[in-house]
Amino acid sequence: MTIPNAPAPTAENASRLPAEEARILSELATNPNETDSYFAVSKRSSLLPNLDSASWCDSNVCVCRWYKSWQKYVDEPLGGGGAAAAPRPGPIDNSDIIETDGRSLAVKEKNYLLVNQQVWKTLVEWYNGGPPVPRTFIILLLSHARDDDVTFIRLPKQASIRELYQKVCARTGVSQEKARIRDYYNMSKGQLLDPLSNKSLEESGLLMNRDILLEVEERGLAGLVNLGNTCYMNSAIQCLAHTSPIHEYFLRDHTHQAELARAFGELLKELWSSGTNAVAPRVFKTKVDKAAPQFTGHYQHDSHELLLALLTGLHQESDIVNVFQGQCKSSLVCPVCGETANTYEPFTSLSLPLPSTPTWSISLLSCLDEYLAQEPLGPDNMWLCPQCKEQRQANKKLDLWKLPEILVFQLKRFKTSKYFVKKIDTFVDFPVDELDLSKYVEKGESCLYELYAVSNHDGGIGLGHYTAYAKMIDDDNEWYCYDDSLVSPVHESEIVSSAAYLLFYRKRVGSDMDLS
Protein backbone atom coordinates (compact mmCIF):
# COMPACT_ATOMS: atom_id res chain seq x y z
CA MET A 1 0.00 0.00 0.00
CA THR A 2 1.39 3.39 -0.97
CA ILE A 3 1.56 6.03 1.75
CA PRO A 4 1.91 9.68 0.73
CA ASN A 5 5.26 11.28 1.37
CA ALA A 6 5.76 13.60 4.30
CA PRO A 7 4.88 17.20 3.56
CA ALA A 8 7.61 19.67 2.93
CA PRO A 9 8.61 21.40 6.17
CA THR A 10 6.72 24.67 5.89
CA ALA A 11 7.71 27.63 8.02
CA GLU A 12 4.69 26.98 10.22
CA ASN A 13 5.59 23.32 10.72
CA ALA A 14 9.20 24.11 11.38
CA SER A 15 8.38 26.72 14.02
CA ARG A 16 5.79 24.66 15.88
CA LEU A 17 7.26 23.07 18.97
CA PRO A 18 6.30 19.50 20.00
CA ALA A 19 4.59 20.75 23.17
CA GLU A 20 2.49 23.09 21.02
CA GLU A 21 1.30 20.17 18.91
CA ALA A 22 0.26 18.28 22.05
CA ARG A 23 -1.62 21.35 23.35
CA ILE A 24 -3.54 21.84 20.10
CA LEU A 25 -4.57 18.19 19.90
CA SER A 26 -5.63 18.22 23.54
CA GLU A 27 -8.02 21.11 22.89
CA LEU A 28 -9.44 19.45 19.77
CA ALA A 29 -9.98 16.15 21.60
CA THR A 30 -12.11 17.81 24.27
CA ASN A 31 -14.37 19.64 21.81
CA PRO A 32 -17.94 19.03 23.11
CA ASN A 33 -19.42 19.49 19.61
CA GLU A 34 -17.64 16.48 18.14
CA THR A 35 -19.69 13.81 16.38
CA ASP A 36 -19.55 10.08 17.01
CA SER A 37 -17.33 9.52 13.95
CA TYR A 38 -13.75 8.59 14.78
CA PHE A 39 -10.58 7.42 13.06
CA ALA A 40 -8.08 4.71 13.80
CA VAL A 41 -4.34 5.35 14.16
CA SER A 42 -1.91 2.47 14.48
CA LYS A 43 0.00 2.17 17.73
CA ARG A 44 2.89 0.64 15.85
CA SER A 45 3.22 3.77 13.83
CA SER A 46 5.20 6.80 14.91
CA LEU A 47 2.62 9.53 15.25
CA LEU A 48 1.13 9.84 18.69
CA PRO A 49 2.48 10.52 22.18
CA ASN A 50 1.64 8.27 25.10
CA LEU A 51 -2.08 8.27 24.47
CA ASP A 52 -2.72 6.01 27.42
CA SER A 53 -1.86 8.93 29.69
CA ALA A 54 -2.19 12.00 27.44
CA SER A 55 -5.24 14.07 28.34
CA TRP A 56 -6.22 14.63 24.70
CA CYS A 57 -6.55 10.92 23.89
CA ASP A 58 -10.22 10.09 24.07
CA SER A 59 -9.69 6.54 22.76
CA ASN A 60 -11.87 7.55 19.85
CA VAL A 61 -10.03 6.99 16.56
CA CYS A 62 -7.55 4.36 15.49
CA VAL A 63 -4.01 5.63 15.14
CA CYS A 64 -1.32 3.01 14.52
CA ARG A 65 2.30 2.39 13.83
CA TRP A 66 3.98 5.72 14.11
CA TYR A 67 2.53 6.23 17.59
CA LYS A 68 5.84 5.54 19.33
CA SER A 69 7.94 7.92 17.29
CA TRP A 70 5.45 10.78 17.72
CA GLN A 71 5.37 10.02 21.45
CA LYS A 72 9.13 10.21 21.57
CA TYR A 73 9.11 13.41 19.51
CA VAL A 74 6.67 15.12 21.88
CA ASP A 75 7.80 13.76 25.22
CA GLU A 76 11.57 14.07 25.10
CA PRO A 77 13.05 17.38 26.37
CA LEU A 78 14.26 19.92 23.82
CA GLY A 79 17.90 19.87 22.83
CA GLY A 80 20.29 22.73 22.31
CA GLY A 81 18.85 25.81 20.64
CA GLY A 82 15.30 24.68 21.37
CA ALA A 83 15.40 21.90 18.76
CA ALA A 84 13.47 18.70 19.37
CA ALA A 85 15.64 15.91 20.77
CA ALA A 86 13.86 13.26 18.67
CA PRO A 87 13.27 13.58 14.94
CA ARG A 88 9.88 14.64 13.68
CA PRO A 89 7.97 11.52 12.52
CA GLY A 90 7.12 10.84 8.92
CA PRO A 91 3.61 10.30 7.47
CA ILE A 92 0.92 8.32 9.26
CA ASP A 93 0.96 4.62 8.34
CA ASN A 94 -2.23 2.70 9.13
CA SER A 95 -1.50 -0.19 6.81
CA ASP A 96 -1.00 -2.66 9.64
CA ILE A 97 -4.54 -2.33 11.05
CA ILE A 98 -6.48 -2.94 7.86
CA GLU A 99 -6.82 -6.00 5.70
CA THR A 100 -4.70 -6.22 2.57
CA ASP A 101 -7.72 -5.37 0.41
CA GLY A 102 -7.90 -2.02 2.17
CA ARG A 103 -11.57 -2.34 2.96
CA SER A 104 -11.96 -3.67 6.52
CA LEU A 105 -10.39 -3.02 9.89
CA ALA A 106 -8.52 -5.84 11.58
CA VAL A 107 -9.39 -5.08 15.22
CA LYS A 108 -6.58 -6.29 17.43
CA GLU A 109 -6.42 -5.35 21.07
CA LYS A 110 -4.04 -2.42 21.69
CA ASN A 111 -2.98 -2.31 18.03
CA TYR A 112 -4.77 0.95 17.43
CA LEU A 113 -5.99 4.05 19.20
CA LEU A 114 -8.97 6.25 18.45
CA VAL A 115 -9.04 9.99 17.87
CA ASN A 116 -11.95 12.21 16.96
CA GLN A 117 -12.50 13.70 13.53
CA GLN A 118 -10.87 17.06 14.27
CA VAL A 119 -7.75 15.45 15.72
CA TRP A 120 -7.48 13.16 12.71
CA LYS A 121 -7.92 16.02 10.26
CA THR A 122 -5.21 18.05 12.02
CA LEU A 123 -2.79 15.13 12.09
CA VAL A 124 -3.23 14.56 8.35
CA GLU A 125 -2.68 18.29 7.68
CA TRP A 126 0.55 18.14 9.65
CA TYR A 127 1.89 14.76 8.58
CA ASN A 128 -0.08 13.46 5.58
CA GLY A 129 -0.32 9.68 5.30
CA GLY A 130 -3.19 7.33 6.11
CA PRO A 131 -5.26 5.68 4.87
CA PRO A 132 -8.21 6.94 6.95
CA VAL A 133 -9.91 4.19 8.95
CA PRO A 134 -13.22 5.71 10.06
CA ARG A 135 -15.18 4.12 12.87
CA THR A 136 -18.75 5.05 13.74
CA PHE A 137 -19.64 4.86 17.41
CA ILE A 138 -22.90 4.09 19.15
CA ILE A 139 -23.96 4.85 22.70
CA LEU A 140 -25.50 2.03 24.75
CA LEU A 141 -27.39 2.72 27.97
CA LEU A 142 -26.21 0.25 30.59
CA SER A 143 -28.51 -0.48 33.54
CA HIS A 144 -27.40 -2.51 36.55
CA ALA A 145 -29.75 -5.18 37.87
CA ARG A 146 -29.09 -4.22 41.51
CA ASP A 147 -29.59 -0.45 41.31
CA ASP A 148 -31.12 2.32 39.22
CA ASP A 149 -27.90 3.79 37.85
CA VAL A 150 -27.45 4.14 34.08
CA THR A 151 -23.97 4.18 32.54
CA PHE A 152 -23.21 5.36 29.00
CA ILE A 153 -21.10 2.85 27.07
CA ARG A 154 -19.56 4.11 23.82
CA LEU A 155 -18.20 1.59 21.33
CA PRO A 156 -17.76 1.35 17.57
CA LYS A 157 -20.74 -0.31 15.95
CA GLN A 158 -18.25 -2.75 14.45
CA ALA A 159 -17.08 -3.77 17.95
CA SER A 160 -17.85 -7.34 18.96
CA ILE A 161 -20.00 -8.59 21.82
CA ARG A 162 -16.76 -9.85 23.37
CA GLU A 163 -15.42 -6.27 23.31
CA LEU A 164 -18.68 -5.03 24.84
CA TYR A 165 -18.13 -7.34 27.82
CA GLN A 166 -14.55 -6.11 28.16
CA LYS A 167 -15.66 -2.47 28.08
CA VAL A 168 -18.53 -2.95 30.54
CA CYS A 169 -16.43 -4.94 32.99
CA ALA A 170 -13.60 -2.41 32.85
CA ARG A 171 -16.06 0.44 33.49
CA THR A 172 -17.99 -1.25 36.32
CA GLY A 173 -15.21 -3.24 37.98
CA VAL A 174 -17.20 -6.48 37.61
CA SER A 175 -15.15 -9.55 36.71
CA GLN A 176 -15.96 -11.07 33.32
CA GLU A 177 -16.59 -14.41 35.02
CA LYS A 178 -19.55 -12.92 36.91
CA ALA A 179 -20.91 -10.54 34.26
CA ARG A 180 -24.04 -11.30 32.24
CA ILE A 181 -25.28 -8.72 29.69
CA ARG A 182 -28.76 -8.80 28.18
CA ASP A 183 -30.59 -6.83 25.53
CA TYR A 184 -32.89 -4.54 27.55
CA TYR A 185 -35.08 -3.10 24.80
CA ASN A 186 -38.11 -1.26 26.24
CA MET A 187 -36.72 -2.09 29.71
CA SER A 188 -37.65 -5.76 29.27
CA LYS A 189 -35.16 -8.58 29.75
CA GLY A 190 -34.23 -9.90 26.34
CA GLN A 191 -31.63 -12.22 24.90
CA LEU A 192 -28.54 -13.00 26.94
CA LEU A 193 -25.46 -11.91 24.98
CA ASP A 194 -22.69 -14.47 24.54
CA PRO A 195 -19.48 -13.13 26.16
CA LEU A 196 -17.37 -15.09 23.64
CA SER A 197 -19.23 -13.92 20.53
CA ASN A 198 -17.38 -12.08 17.77
CA LYS A 199 -20.61 -10.78 16.25
CA SER A 200 -20.60 -7.01 15.95
CA LEU A 201 -22.94 -4.77 17.91
CA GLU A 202 -24.58 -3.79 14.62
CA GLU A 203 -25.12 -7.43 13.64
CA SER A 204 -26.59 -8.10 17.11
CA GLY A 205 -29.17 -5.34 16.72
CA LEU A 206 -27.59 -3.04 19.32
CA LEU A 207 -28.06 0.39 17.81
CA MET A 208 -27.69 3.95 19.10
CA ASN A 209 -29.20 4.53 22.58
CA ARG A 210 -30.20 0.90 22.95
CA ASP A 211 -30.67 -0.25 26.56
CA ILE A 212 -28.64 -3.17 27.85
CA LEU A 213 -28.76 -4.79 31.28
CA LEU A 214 -25.83 -5.95 33.41
CA GLU A 215 -26.56 -8.86 35.73
CA VAL A 216 -23.85 -9.89 38.15
CA GLU A 217 -23.63 -13.46 39.30
CA GLU A 218 -23.72 -12.51 42.98
CA ARG A 219 -24.89 -15.78 44.44
CA GLY A 220 -25.80 -15.62 48.10
CA LEU A 221 -26.55 -11.88 48.09
CA ALA A 222 -30.34 -12.08 47.96
CA GLY A 223 -32.46 -10.67 50.79
CA LEU A 224 -35.68 -12.01 52.27
CA VAL A 225 -38.92 -10.07 52.22
CA ASN A 226 -40.38 -9.36 55.67
CA LEU A 227 -43.88 -10.90 55.59
CA GLY A 228 -44.89 -9.08 58.78
CA ASN A 229 -42.73 -9.46 61.90
CA THR A 230 -40.77 -12.29 60.26
CA CYS A 231 -37.33 -10.72 60.67
CA TYR A 232 -36.52 -13.41 63.29
CA MET A 233 -37.08 -16.08 60.63
CA ASN A 234 -35.17 -14.18 57.93
CA SER A 235 -32.16 -13.78 60.20
CA ALA A 236 -32.01 -17.49 61.07
CA ILE A 237 -32.49 -18.54 57.43
CA GLN A 238 -29.63 -16.34 56.21
CA CYS A 239 -27.31 -17.85 58.81
CA LEU A 240 -28.30 -21.37 57.70
CA ALA A 241 -28.06 -20.42 54.01
CA HIS A 242 -24.37 -19.54 54.58
CA THR A 243 -23.64 -22.75 56.48
CA SER A 244 -21.49 -24.70 54.00
CA PRO A 245 -22.77 -28.27 54.65
CA ILE A 246 -26.41 -27.11 54.60
CA HIS A 247 -25.82 -25.04 51.46
CA GLU A 248 -24.08 -27.89 49.63
CA TYR A 249 -26.66 -30.51 50.58
CA PHE A 250 -29.82 -28.61 49.72
CA LEU A 251 -28.47 -27.11 46.49
CA ARG A 252 -27.88 -30.56 45.05
CA ASP A 253 -30.66 -32.15 43.04
CA HIS A 254 -32.18 -34.03 45.95
CA THR A 255 -35.81 -35.09 45.90
CA HIS A 256 -37.06 -34.15 49.35
CA GLN A 257 -40.16 -35.98 50.50
CA ALA A 258 -40.91 -33.98 53.64
CA GLU A 259 -42.73 -30.73 52.94
CA LEU A 260 -40.54 -28.59 55.19
CA ALA A 261 -37.28 -29.91 53.72
CA ARG A 262 -38.58 -29.50 50.17
CA ALA A 263 -39.69 -25.91 50.84
CA PHE A 264 -36.38 -25.11 52.53
CA GLY A 265 -34.41 -26.53 49.61
CA GLU A 266 -36.41 -24.49 47.10
CA LEU A 267 -35.92 -21.36 49.18
CA LEU A 268 -32.14 -21.84 49.29
CA LYS A 269 -32.03 -22.35 45.54
CA GLU A 270 -33.81 -19.03 45.08
CA LEU A 271 -31.47 -17.27 47.50
CA TRP A 272 -28.43 -18.56 45.66
CA SER A 273 -29.67 -18.00 42.12
CA SER A 274 -27.91 -15.36 40.02
CA GLY A 275 -29.47 -11.92 39.72
CA THR A 276 -31.98 -12.37 42.55
CA ASN A 277 -32.46 -9.30 44.73
CA ALA A 278 -34.99 -10.48 47.32
CA VAL A 279 -37.13 -13.57 47.85
CA ALA A 280 -40.56 -13.66 49.51
CA PRO A 281 -40.53 -16.86 51.66
CA ARG A 282 -44.34 -17.27 51.75
CA VAL A 283 -44.44 -20.96 50.84
CA PHE A 284 -41.70 -21.74 53.33
CA LYS A 285 -43.53 -19.82 56.08
CA THR A 286 -46.67 -21.93 55.59
CA LYS A 287 -44.60 -25.11 55.94
CA VAL A 288 -42.96 -23.77 59.11
CA ASP A 289 -46.39 -22.95 60.56
CA LYS A 290 -47.54 -26.49 59.82
CA ALA A 291 -44.44 -28.16 61.30
CA ALA A 292 -44.21 -25.82 64.32
CA PRO A 293 -47.63 -24.24 65.03
CA GLN A 294 -46.18 -21.91 67.67
CA PHE A 295 -44.90 -19.74 64.82
CA THR A 296 -48.30 -19.42 63.12
CA GLY A 297 -49.35 -15.87 62.30
CA HIS A 298 -47.29 -12.70 62.14
CA TYR A 299 -46.10 -12.23 65.67
CA GLN A 300 -42.53 -11.53 66.66
CA HIS A 301 -40.65 -14.63 67.80
CA ASP A 302 -37.15 -15.66 68.81
CA SER A 303 -34.62 -16.53 66.10
CA HIS A 304 -33.04 -19.19 68.32
CA GLU A 305 -36.37 -20.94 68.86
CA LEU A 306 -37.03 -20.85 65.12
CA LEU A 307 -33.55 -22.26 64.43
CA LEU A 308 -34.07 -25.20 66.79
CA ALA A 309 -37.54 -25.95 65.40
CA LEU A 310 -36.22 -25.83 61.83
CA LEU A 311 -33.27 -28.13 62.57
CA THR A 312 -35.62 -30.56 64.30
CA GLY A 313 -37.95 -30.58 61.28
CA LEU A 314 -35.13 -31.02 58.77
CA HIS A 315 -33.61 -33.83 60.83
CA GLN A 316 -36.68 -35.97 60.17
CA GLU A 317 -35.55 -36.40 56.57
CA SER A 318 -31.80 -35.99 56.53
CA ASP A 319 -28.81 -36.52 58.80
CA ILE A 320 -27.16 -33.40 57.38
CA VAL A 321 -28.18 -31.41 60.46
CA ASN A 322 -25.89 -33.68 62.48
CA VAL A 323 -23.19 -31.16 61.66
CA PHE A 324 -24.74 -29.13 64.51
CA GLN A 325 -24.81 -32.11 66.90
CA GLY A 326 -22.39 -32.12 69.82
CA GLN A 327 -22.23 -33.75 73.24
CA CYS A 328 -21.61 -32.50 76.75
CA LYS A 329 -20.53 -34.80 79.58
CA SER A 330 -22.68 -34.14 82.63
CA SER A 331 -21.10 -35.28 85.89
CA LEU A 332 -22.82 -35.60 89.27
CA VAL A 333 -20.40 -35.66 92.18
CA CYS A 334 -21.33 -36.49 95.77
CA PRO A 335 -19.18 -34.29 98.05
CA VAL A 336 -19.61 -36.72 100.95
CA CYS A 337 -18.11 -39.84 99.37
CA GLY A 338 -16.72 -38.65 96.05
CA GLU A 339 -19.00 -40.89 94.01
CA THR A 340 -19.34 -39.70 90.39
CA ALA A 341 -21.92 -40.52 87.74
CA ASN A 342 -21.52 -39.43 84.12
CA THR A 343 -24.15 -39.02 81.43
CA TYR A 344 -23.76 -37.66 77.92
CA GLU A 345 -26.21 -35.04 76.72
CA PRO A 346 -26.57 -33.99 73.05
CA PHE A 347 -26.83 -30.37 72.02
CA THR A 348 -27.35 -28.39 68.81
CA SER A 349 -26.37 -25.08 70.43
CA LEU A 350 -24.86 -23.90 73.69
CA SER A 351 -26.94 -21.30 75.54
CA LEU A 352 -24.49 -19.17 77.49
CA PRO A 353 -25.63 -17.07 80.47
CA LEU A 354 -24.93 -13.35 80.63
CA PRO A 355 -24.52 -11.45 83.90
CA SER A 356 -27.81 -9.93 85.03
CA THR A 357 -26.03 -7.13 86.86
CA PRO A 358 -24.89 -4.15 84.73
CA THR A 359 -21.57 -4.99 83.11
CA TRP A 360 -19.87 -3.05 80.33
CA SER A 361 -18.30 -6.03 78.60
CA ILE A 362 -17.35 -9.66 78.97
CA SER A 363 -15.67 -12.24 76.77
CA LEU A 364 -17.28 -15.21 75.08
CA LEU A 365 -14.94 -17.60 76.89
CA SER A 366 -15.88 -16.16 80.29
CA CYS A 367 -19.52 -16.89 79.41
CA LEU A 368 -18.52 -20.43 78.44
CA ASP A 369 -16.65 -20.83 81.75
CA GLU A 370 -19.79 -19.83 83.60
CA TYR A 371 -21.85 -22.30 81.59
CA LEU A 372 -19.50 -25.19 82.35
CA ALA A 373 -18.84 -24.29 86.00
CA GLN A 374 -19.67 -26.70 88.76
CA GLU A 375 -22.82 -25.82 90.72
CA PRO A 376 -24.64 -27.48 93.62
CA LEU A 377 -28.06 -28.97 92.98
CA GLY A 378 -30.84 -27.59 95.16
CA PRO A 379 -32.53 -29.46 98.02
CA ASP A 380 -35.49 -30.18 95.76
CA ASN A 381 -33.21 -31.99 93.33
CA MET A 382 -31.47 -34.54 95.56
CA TRP A 383 -29.47 -37.41 94.06
CA LEU A 384 -29.67 -41.05 95.13
CA CYS A 385 -25.97 -41.76 95.60
CA PRO A 386 -25.07 -45.37 94.61
CA GLN A 387 -22.26 -45.40 97.18
CA CYS A 388 -24.16 -43.90 100.13
CA LYS A 389 -27.43 -45.65 99.23
CA GLU A 390 -29.39 -42.52 100.17
CA GLN A 391 -30.46 -39.13 98.84
CA ARG A 392 -27.57 -36.71 98.77
CA GLN A 393 -27.07 -33.14 97.56
CA ALA A 394 -24.69 -33.35 94.62
CA ASN A 395 -22.65 -30.96 92.49
CA LYS A 396 -23.21 -30.87 88.74
CA LYS A 397 -20.36 -30.22 86.30
CA LEU A 398 -20.48 -29.96 82.50
CA ASP A 399 -17.61 -30.67 80.12
CA LEU A 400 -17.40 -30.50 76.36
CA TRP A 401 -17.11 -34.06 75.11
CA LYS A 402 -17.85 -34.08 71.38
CA LEU A 403 -17.69 -30.83 69.47
CA PRO A 404 -19.71 -30.48 66.24
CA GLU A 405 -18.58 -29.29 62.84
CA ILE A 406 -20.88 -26.28 63.23
CA LEU A 407 -20.96 -24.79 66.72
CA VAL A 408 -23.72 -22.32 67.61
CA PHE A 409 -23.68 -20.17 70.74
CA GLN A 410 -26.79 -18.46 72.03
CA LEU A 411 -26.04 -15.42 74.18
CA LYS A 412 -28.97 -15.45 76.59
CA ARG A 413 -29.94 -11.81 76.31
CA PHE A 414 -33.57 -12.32 77.31
CA LYS A 415 -34.21 -12.88 81.01
CA THR A 416 -37.72 -14.00 81.82
CA SER A 417 -39.33 -13.58 85.22
CA LYS A 418 -42.88 -14.10 86.42
CA TYR A 419 -43.98 -10.61 85.46
CA PHE A 420 -41.68 -9.34 82.70
CA VAL A 421 -39.01 -10.10 80.10
CA LYS A 422 -35.79 -8.10 80.30
CA LYS A 423 -33.13 -7.76 77.63
CA ILE A 424 -29.45 -7.75 78.58
CA ASP A 425 -27.43 -5.51 76.25
CA THR A 426 -24.00 -6.40 77.67
CA PHE A 427 -21.25 -6.29 75.05
CA VAL A 428 -19.77 -9.75 74.53
CA ASP A 429 -16.35 -9.80 72.90
CA PHE A 430 -16.04 -12.88 70.70
CA PRO A 431 -13.26 -13.93 68.29
CA VAL A 432 -13.92 -13.76 64.56
CA ASP A 433 -10.92 -15.51 63.03
CA GLU A 434 -9.92 -18.04 65.67
CA LEU A 435 -11.88 -19.49 68.58
CA ASP A 436 -9.63 -21.93 70.43
CA LEU A 437 -11.53 -24.42 72.63
CA SER A 438 -8.58 -26.75 73.21
CA LYS A 439 -8.41 -26.09 76.95
CA TYR A 440 -12.03 -27.18 77.42
CA VAL A 441 -11.55 -30.74 76.21
CA GLU A 442 -10.09 -33.50 78.32
CA LYS A 443 -7.69 -34.93 75.76
CA GLY A 444 -6.18 -31.60 74.74
CA GLU A 445 -6.74 -31.93 70.99
CA SER A 446 -6.65 -28.86 68.78
CA CYS A 447 -10.18 -27.42 68.56
CA LEU A 448 -10.18 -24.27 66.43
CA TYR A 449 -13.24 -22.54 65.00
CA GLU A 450 -13.88 -19.48 62.86
CA LEU A 451 -16.96 -17.27 62.83
CA TYR A 452 -19.06 -17.18 59.65
CA ALA A 453 -22.49 -15.85 60.66
CA VAL A 454 -24.24 -13.87 63.40
CA SER A 455 -27.93 -13.40 64.17
CA ASN A 456 -28.36 -9.92 65.68
CA HIS A 457 -31.15 -8.42 67.77
CA ASP A 458 -31.36 -4.64 68.00
CA GLY A 459 -33.75 -2.72 70.21
CA GLY A 460 -35.85 -3.73 73.17
CA ILE A 461 -38.50 -6.31 73.90
CA GLY A 462 -41.45 -6.18 71.51
CA LEU A 463 -39.91 -3.39 69.41
CA GLY A 464 -36.71 -5.14 68.45
CA HIS A 465 -35.48 -6.14 65.02
CA TYR A 466 -33.43 -9.12 63.83
CA THR A 467 -30.70 -8.93 61.19
CA ALA A 468 -27.84 -11.21 60.19
CA TYR A 469 -24.18 -10.92 59.31
CA ALA A 470 -22.79 -13.66 57.09
CA LYS A 471 -19.49 -14.37 55.39
CA MET A 472 -19.62 -15.46 51.76
CA ILE A 473 -18.97 -19.18 51.40
CA ASP A 474 -16.65 -18.78 48.39
CA ASP A 475 -14.85 -15.67 49.66
CA ASP A 476 -13.51 -15.66 53.22
CA ASN A 477 -12.83 -11.93 53.15
CA GLU A 478 -16.33 -10.68 52.34
CA TRP A 479 -18.96 -10.05 55.03
CA TYR A 480 -22.50 -8.84 54.29
CA CYS A 481 -25.37 -7.51 56.38
CA TYR A 482 -28.77 -9.09 55.69
CA ASP A 483 -31.54 -6.77 56.86
CA ASP A 484 -34.66 -8.44 55.46
CA SER A 485 -34.73 -7.41 51.76
CA LEU A 486 -31.65 -5.20 52.04
CA VAL A 487 -28.18 -6.65 51.56
CA SER A 488 -25.05 -4.53 51.95
CA PRO A 489 -21.32 -5.07 52.53
CA VAL A 490 -20.11 -4.74 56.09
CA HIS A 491 -16.58 -4.44 57.42
CA GLU A 492 -15.32 -7.22 59.67
CA SER A 493 -14.69 -4.68 62.44
CA GLU A 494 -18.46 -4.15 62.73
CA ILE A 495 -19.33 -7.82 63.27
CA VAL A 496 -18.66 -7.84 67.02
CA SER A 497 -21.40 -5.75 68.64
CA SER A 498 -23.76 -5.67 71.61
CA ALA A 499 -26.56 -6.78 69.26
CA ALA A 500 -25.01 -10.22 68.66
CA TYR A 501 -27.42 -12.96 69.72
CA LEU A 502 -26.52 -16.20 67.89
CA LEU A 503 -22.92 -16.93 66.91
CA PHE A 504 -22.27 -19.48 64.16
CA TYR A 505 -18.79 -21.02 64.11
CA ARG A 506 -17.36 -23.64 61.74
CA LYS A 507 -14.40 -25.86 62.44
CA ARG A 508 -11.07 -24.91 60.98
CA VAL A 509 -9.56 -27.33 58.48
CA GLY A 510 -7.35 -29.84 60.27
CA SER A 511 -8.89 -29.25 63.69
CA ASP A 512 -9.83 -32.38 65.70
CA MET A 513 -13.51 -32.36 66.61
CA ASP A 514 -14.40 -35.88 67.77
CA LEU A 515 -13.05 -36.11 71.28
CA SER A 516 -14.72 -39.34 72.37
Side-chain angles (χ1 to χ4, degrees):
M1 177 177 294
T2 303
I3 303 298
N5 294 326
T10 64
E12 180 182 1
N13 285 340
S15 62
R16 186 187 306 111
L17 296 177
E20 179 68 6
E21 289 193 5
R23 182 191 65 79
I24 293 173
L25 295 185
S26 177
E27 292 176 355
L28 293 175
T30 56
N31 183 358
N33 297 321
E34 266 297 327
T35 67
D36 288 321
S37 294
Y38 301 90
F39 291 81
V41 181
S42 172
K43 278 188 177 180
R44 299 175 186 169
S45 132
S46 56
L47 170 56
L48 299 181
N50 188 348
L51 298 186
D52 294 332
S53 59
S55 62
W56 60 270
C57 175
D58 197 27
S59 294
N60 296 332
V61 180
C62 282
V63 187
C64 307
R65 197 176 288 172
W66 60 262
Y67 158 70
K68 289 184 179 179
S69 59
W70 195 88
Q71 173 187 342
K72 187 175 182 180
Y73 171 65
V74 172
D75 287 352
E76 288 192 3
L78 297 179
R88 192 169 188 272
I92 304 169
D93 183 1
N94 276 345
S95 59
D96 64 313
I97 61 169
I98 59 176
E99 300 290 348
T100 55
D101 59 8
R103 292 180 298 176
S104 58
L105 178 65
V107 179
K108 298 178 181 179
E109 185 179 5
K110 297 186 178 180
N111 276 1
Y112 66 89
L113 296 170
L114 299 173
V115 295
N116 67 35
Q117 193 168 10
Q118 282 298 317
V119 170
W120 172 256
K121 181 180 178 181
T122 302
L123 289 174
V124 173
E125 288 178 355
W126 289 349
Y127 292 95
N128 281 354
V133 185
R135 306 210 75 189
T136 302
F137 273 64
I138 59 175
I139 306 295
L140 299 176
L141 309 181
L142 175 70
S143 298
H144 198 296
R146 296 194 67 88
D147 55 46
D148 297 326
D149 292 340
V150 175
T151 303
F152 295 95
I153 302 295
R154 182 172 59 185
L155 281 170
K157 65 180 181 180
Q158 302 94 338
S160 66
I161 298 298
R162 184 198 297 264
E163 290 175 298
L164 172 63
Y165 269 88
Q166 294 171 352
K167 180 82 170 184
V168 168
C169 291
R171 176 71 72 86
T172 61
V174 174
S175 69
Q176 292 194 42
E177 293 77 14
K178 294 184 177 182
R180 300 291 182 269
I181 303 176
R182 292 183 181 274
D183 188 356
Y184 202 39
Y185 180 67
N186 281 342
M187 310 303 282
S188 297
K189 287 187 179 181
Q191 179 183 3
L192 183 66
L193 304 178
D194 181 1
L196 301 179
S197 174
N198 288 318
K199 287 182 64 176
S200 70
L201 302 180
E202 188 175 36
E203 291 171 333
S204 303
L206 299 178
L207 307 178
M208 178 65 77
N209 294 331
R210 186 64 165 259
D211 287 288
I212 55 175
L213 177 68
L214 172 63
E215 298 175 336
V216 182
E217 197 168 315
E218 298 174 316
R219 301 181 184 274
L221 292 182
L224 286 164
V225 176
N226 192 321
L227 305 177
N229 290 324
T230 56
C231 58
Y232 71 94
M233 181 180 74
N234 293 347
S235 175
I237 290 173
Q238 291 290 8
C239 292
L240 285 178
H242 289 81
T243 300
S244 295
I246 299 294
H247 164 267
E248 293 170 5
Y249 177 81
F250 281 96
L251 262 62
R252 295 183 199 143
D253 291 329
H254 286 294
T255 301
H256 303 287
Q257 301 300 322
E259 291 185 2
L260 182 62
R262 186 164 57 249
F264 183 70
E266 291 301 320
L267 178 58
L268 257 61
K269 288 178 182 178
E270 287 188 80
L271 287 175
W272 284 89
S273 63
S274 177
T276 302
N277 290 329
V279 178
R282 293 186 178 88
V283 173
F284 176 74
K285 178 65 165 62
T286 62
K287 304 306 179 184
V288 170
D289 294 349
K290 184 177 180 180
Q294 67 268 32
F295 297 106
T296 301
H298 297 282
Y299 302 99
Q300 184 65 278
H301 291 279
D302 186 285
S303 67
H304 183 240
E305 294 176 359
L306 186 282
L307 174 69
L308 296 181
L310 182 54
L311 292 179
T312 299
L314 296 178
H315 187 62
Q316 296 176 2
E317 176 170 326
S318 170
D319 291 335
I320 187 62
V321 297
N322 286 343
V323 296
F324 292 89
Q325 194 80 46
Q327 278 188 334
C328 279
K329 183 178 75 171
S330 178
S331 302
L332 290 178
V333 180
C334 179
V336 175
C337 64
E339 180 70 14
T340 301
N342 297 325
T343 58
Y344 298 89
E345 302 174 353
F347 67 84
T348 53
S349 66
L350 297 177
S351 297
L352 306 185
L354 300 184
S356 56
T357 56
T359 304
W360 170 246
S361 68
I362 55 176
S363 70
L364 177 66
L365 292 184
S366 67
C367 295
L368 182 58
D369 289 336
E370 181 67 20
Y371 176 78
L372 299 174
Q374 180 172 287
E375 59 178 358
L377 297 179
D380 57 344
N381 195 14
M382 302 293 282
W383 176 48
L384 179 59
C385 176
Q387 179 71 24
C388 301
K389 307 298 183 183
E390 60 180 281
Q391 297 285 339
R392 294 289 191 184
Q393 186 175 13
N395 294 329
K396 183 177 181 180
K397 175 71 170 69
L398 290 177
D399 291 291
L400 299 178
W401 184 251
K402 181 179 180 181
L403 293 176
E405 181 179 348
I406 303 297
L407 180 57
V408 179
F409 292 105
Q410 178 204 19
L411 304 179
K412 298 181 69 174
R413 294 196 176 277
F414 304 108
K415 183 178 181 181
T416 303
S417 68
K418 184 177 180 180
Y419 300 104
F420 63 89
V421 178
K422 176 185 177 183
K423 184 182 177 186
I424 302 172
D425 290 316
T426 299
F427 178 87
V428 179
D429 188 15
F430 50 89
V432 174
D433 295 323
E434 184 175 292
L435 172 64
D436 189 352
L437 299 179
S438 303
K439 71 175 185 177
Y440 294 95
V441 298
E442 294 183 352
K443 299 180 182 180
E445 286 90 345
S446 174
C447 302
L448 301 179
Y449 285 87
E450 59 186 352
L451 188 75
Y452 71 90
V454 180
S455 175
N456 301 301
H457 183 273
D458 290 284
I461 303 299
L463 298 176
H465 179 61
Y466 285 94
T467 60
Y469 293 141
K471 182 186 285 189
M472 294 302 293
I473 289 178
D474 57 353
D475 191 338
D476 286 345
N477 296 318
E478 295 294 331
W479 281 88
Y480 286 86
C481 175
Y482 295 83
D483 184 356
D484 288 333
S485 299
L486 302 177
V487 181
S488 58
V490 62
H491 194 273
E492 185 176 293
S493 62
E494 302 177 56
I495 302 302
V496 183
S497 74
S498 59
Y501 180 48
L502 302 180
L503 309 178
F504 289 73
Y505 284 91
R506 62 190 173 204
K507 70 177 180 180
R508 293 276 290 269
V509 176
S511 181
D512 299 319
M513 293 294 114
D514 192 345
L515 311 174
S516 55

